[in-house]
Amino acid sequence: MKSTIHVRVSGRDRPGITAGLMALLEGGGADLFDVEQVVVRDHLTLGLVVEVPEDRGTIKELLLYGWENDLHIDFEPVDGPARHSPPRFVVTVIGPSVGPGAFGAVATAIAESGGNIDRIVRLSRYPVVSYELAVAGGDRDAMRTALGSAAAVHRVDIAVQLEGITRRTKRLVVLDVDSTLIQGEVIDLLASEAGVGAQVSAITAAAMAGELDFESALRERVRLLAGLSADLVASLAEKIPLTPGARTFVATLRRMGMRVAIVSGGFTLVTDRLKQELDLDHAMANELEVRDGRLTGEVIGPIVDRARKAEVLLDIARAEGIPLDQTVAVGDGANDLDMLAAAGLGIAFNARPVVKEAADTALTVPYLDAILFLLGIRRDEVDASEPVPVTGLPPI
């Protein structure tokens, strides 16, 4: 006869504890069904589900092992190995800080949605605090609604994703440019130089909020730039600052072997420079017509609008042989909606309300590399992957 028991082990962590336990169980003829271990600040918590012969004294040997190694070990009979696996989710919590109030609200929302937290892992301490919660069971839609309310009250970002292979095997990230990869809207900067800032800003705001047709709004704004020096436009493009964390974000994706693309309703004068500077794989944007060294106020070729952005994502994924469920799209405006919907994971980054509501998840922190945490990448992994400069060696 055998009994199935849940063994719980806790105490100060040190090398050899798990190995010793497994050797003891092996010698006692036990079968191992499940094991999970967590270490927090050198304190071990280890859980095992094992089937042990009732006549071999394995439980007594485990208690003796605990006494000899200053470990607390207790037991609980269980019905046997789990026969069915409930749906599993990953809940990511991100914010400038995540206090007990926010954490408690997250835990309450998960429980009320029928889910159970299996594991909690801290992903980062900077530039934001983030945690990943492994959740078993629950209703996904109810969980998202409840967690959305908790996020609004406690001013944190919370994402709910179905756990599975595709979450951990993303291969393509497509980014919007203005107010996503870079700070601000390029056309507003150009309009300021041309003395038509107020007119263009008003049109930009209405277009990004989805109140105006994007193509008509873009052509109207570009016409206001007629006569602006192309050299001035190029020099301004070089001065536009990247969003904080953008270099780390892109560099980390590249080191992971992922393809990175930008698609913009802005202009090639900016995206071509970004493609070269950040070593991107693809870039698509609108081309301003230049004649005699000045902008004519017209755009060459088809406009990169909402529909075209989604088409570009599909075209790149097809060309690279990447399934859509392994793609990520990031944007902030209404013209990004189709692209976000087409991707396996659509992320609204400091976005307008209409975009936040439509996207799979939203981030409101000002750091682009916080997206890495939604992909399950820890900050220490990012830091460890950064190349270390080598000095004092002769030139090759």
Side-chain angles (χ1 to χ4, degrees):
M1 291 289 293
K2 287 189 173 184
S3 300
T4 304
I5 58 173
H6 178 198
V7 182
R8 295 182 291 267
V9 182
S10 62
R12 181 66 60 182
D13 188 37
R14 59 187 179 279
I17 290 177
T18 304
L21 282 167
M22 293 301 175
L24 187 155
L25 292 168
E26 174 71 15
D31 294 320
L32 178 66
F33 293 137
D34 201 359
V35 60
E36 194 152 334
Q37 176 175 311
V38 176
V39 176
V40 179
R41 296 293 179 95
D42 297 325
H43 188 89
L44 167 74
T45 301
L46 171 64
L48 310 96
V49 176
V50 295
E51 192 175 65
V52 298
E54 292 183 351
D55 58 351
R56 290 203 184 183
T58 306
I59 291 178
K60 291 181 179 178
E61 292 179 16
L62 284 168
L63 290 171
L64 178 60
Y65 181 85
W67 180 78
E68 291 174 340
N69 291 275
D70 195 24
L71 298 169
H72 177 74
I73 299 181
D74 62 13
F75 310 90
E76 178 185 6
V78 295
D79 294 334
R83 299 301 179 189
H84 121 251
S85 179
R88 303 191 69 85
F89 305 97
V90 172
V91 174
T92 310
V93 184
I94 300 174
S97 64
V98 182
F103 230 119
V106 169
T108 299
I110 291 172
E112 290 179 348
S113 306
N116 183 63
I117 301 171
D118 278 353
R119 186 176 66 258
I120 301 173
V121 177
R122 178 178 49 77
L123 297 173
S124 66
R125 289 193 181 98
Y126 73 93
V128 290
V129 176
S130 62
Y131 293 91
E132 182 176 282
L133 288 69
V135 176
D139 180 271
R140 185 180 185 180
D141 292 338
M143 197 179 300
R144 278 184 166 171
T145 300
L147 287 170
S149 299
V153 171
H154 293 277
R155 298 183 179 180
V156 294
D157 296 326
I158 304 175
V160 181
Q161 300 179 65
L162 187 66
E163 178 63 294
I165 292 175
T166 56
R167 175 181 174 266
R168 301 188 298 272
T169 56
K170 295 293 189 277
R171 296 167 54 196
L172 169 66
V173 175
V174 180
L175 295 152
D176 172 48
V177 176
D178 289 28
S179 297
T180 301
L181 183 62
I182 63 174
Q183 298 181 53
E185 300 287 325
V186 171
I187 197 166
D188 289 344
L189 180 62
L190 299 181
S192 179
E193 290 292 328
V196 292
Q199 300 98 303
V200 167
S201 291
I203 300 171
T204 297
M208 296 303 289
E211 298 169 4
L212 292 176
D213 169 72
F214 181 81
E215 178 172 353
S216 300
L218 179 67
R219 292 190 183 279
E220 183 178 348
R221 288 175 292 175
V222 169
R223 290 189 185 103
L224 292 171
L225 304 179
L228 200 62
S229 166
D231 289 340
L232 176 61
V233 173
S235 66
L236 288 173
E238 294 178 356
K239 299 175 183 177
I240 297 171
L242 295 171
T243 297
R247 290 187 186 278
T248 297
F249 178 56
V250 173
T252 302
L253 296 178
R254 301 292 287 143
R255 284 193 292 273
M256 293 171 61
M258 296 177 66
R259 294 287 188 260
V260 186
I262 52 176
V263 56
S264 174
F267 310 114
T268 55
L269 285 167
V270 175
T271 58
D272 288 350
R273 177 184 66 84
L274 290 170
K275 182 175 184 292
Q276 181 177 8
E277 181 180 342
L278 298 175
D279 189 26
L280 305 175
D281 296 288
H282 304 274
M284 173 68 70
N286 299 300
E287 183 178 356
L288 295 171
E289 184 180 55
V290 178
R291 189 178 301 156
D292 298 327
R294 295 189 175 276
L295 303 188
T296 65
E298 300 298 330
V299 178
I300 299 174
I303 296 294
V304 179
D305 58 7
R306 172 173 168 171
R308 181 60 182 144
K309 282 192 168 188
E311 290 173 5
V312 170
L313 183 146
L314 296 173
D315 290 345
I316 294 173
R318 190 179 302 113
E320 297 282 2
I322 297 174
L324 282 179
D325 60 7
Q326 295 182 9
T327 65
V328 179
V330 186
D332 74 303
N335 61 327
D336 297 313
L337 284 171
D338 290 1
M339 178 176 74
L340 298 182
L345 176 64
I347 301 173
F349 182 74
N350 291 304
R352 277 70 174 176
V354 66
V355 184
K356 287 183 181 180
E357 292 172 7
D360 294 315
T361 189
L363 281 179
T364 60
V365 295
Y367 307 102
L368 198 62
D369 52 344
I371 293 172
L372 296 171
F373 309 137
L374 295 177
L375 304 180
I377 302 165
R378 299 195 307 271
R379 184 73 216 191
D380 55 3
E381 293 173 328
V382 175
D383 294 341
S385 71
E386 291 183 352
V388 178
V390 178
T391 59
L393 296 178
I396 298 176

